[in-house]
Amino acid sequence: RRRLKPLRTVVAWRGRAEWDQVMVGLYCGDSRLQQDALDRVSAWKSRYGPKMPLAVDCTAELIRCKVLDSSGRLKSHELILSYGLALVRFVNLITERKQKMVSIPLRQLAREVDIPVWVVDLRHELTHGKLPRLALCRKGCDVVLDWLRKMYWSRQLGNNLCEESEGEDEEEEQEEGEANGELDADAWE
């Protein structure tokens, strides 16, 4: 019998080094480096289109809000709308995969994936109620970015961003992941 070669997944990024560089750039806190990472994500999106992982897309939108906020070019009302749209999209996109044929309340879905319920309440206010204060939108953004870091980015990199586990196990996981080829865009649900 002939052995079949393992299927390779085609992704928008050049390789693991580019992926790592973008992830570090997004979370570094330096708005110039974050903008470079956002430009790279935009290039990925133009290559990958609708196949772009939701977590990458959501992270980029939230970081874009933080970059705009730090620039001082937008008024508080514009920032609230910008953060608000990114937060609403995050909650909607992340929970919609959990929706089956039956409508499940967003708060229940959020609990199932460890999103703080108050973030869902913030999404509800942004969608249906009076716009919240900018400080609350900023806090929501920070909490969601931390959730994305823990639930997506660090898992893709063998927990390189998690403060809990550092050392040899981490290096072994990363080497194992590299041996398995490119990052799979559909690996995270």
Side-chain angles (χ1 to χ4, degrees):
R1 246 182 182 205
R2 235 174 119 185
R3 275 188 131 183
L4 296 175
K5 289 184 179 181
L7 294 176
R8 294 187 65 95
T9 302
V10 177
V11 292
W13 39 93
R14 281 185 243 151
R16 184 158 196 108
E18 182 180 46
W19 176 270
D20 292 352
Q21 183 182 18
V22 167
M23 183 266 324
V24 169
L26 289 171
Y27 281 95
C28 72
D30 178 330
S31 59
R32 187 183 54 79
L33 294 175
Q34 286 176 318
Q35 187 57 58
D36 290 344
L38 289 172
D39 293 343
R40 187 80 53 97
V41 170
S42 292
W44 293 353
K45 200 169 182 177
S46 70
R47 291 182 209 140
Y48 224 38
K51 291 183 180 180
M52 180 67 107
L54 293 177
V56 174
D57 204 17
C58 289
T59 304
E61 290 305 316
L62 291 161
I63 294 295
R64 188 169 282 111
C65 293
K66 291 181 77 66
V67 169
L68 284 169
D69 195 351
S70 68
S71 75
R73 290 182 285 169
L74 296 180
K75 296 176 182 166
S76 69
H77 183 72
E78 294 168 321
L79 286 169
I80 290 169
L81 294 174
S82 182
Y83 279 117
L85 178 60
L87 290 166
V88 167
R89 288 194 74 231
F90 164 79
V91 172
N92 289 351
L93 291 172
I94 299 304
T95 58
E96 97 179 334
R97 286 190 168 199
K98 289 284 209 175
Q99 291 280 7
K100 306 286 187 235
M101 298 299 265
V102 179
S103 181
I104 302 170
L106 283 179
R107 296 182 92 187
Q108 180 181 337
L109 292 173
R111 276 190 214 102
E112 288 178 17
V113 294
D114 292 326
I115 296 171
V117 173
W118 72 265
V119 172
V120 175
D121 293 339
L122 177 60
R123 174 236 172 246
H124 185 79
E125 282 301 309
L126 286 159
T127 307
H128 304 290
K130 185 176 144 188
L131 290 177
R133 294 175 295 119
L134 179 56
L136 190 57
C137 291
R138 285 176 175 147
K139 182 177 179 182
C141 180
D142 291 340
V143 166
V144 168
L145 282 170
D146 188 55
W147 185 91
L148 285 162
R149 182 184 57 81
K150 288 176 184 170
M151 301 303 285
Y152 179 72
W153 291 98
S154 64
R155 288 181 178 186
Q156 294 293 325
L157 296 174
N159 293 321
N160 285 349
L161 287 177
C162 284
E163 298 157 8
E164 303 109 27
S165 64
E166 291 183 11
E168 291 179 17
D169 292 342
E170 185 178 79
E171 290 174 11
E172 289 172 15
E173 286 177 13
Q174 184 173 0
E175 289 171 5
E176 183 181 310
E178 289 173 355
N180 290 333
E182 300 295 333
L183 293 172
D184 182 1
D186 296 323
W188 180 74
E189 291 180 352

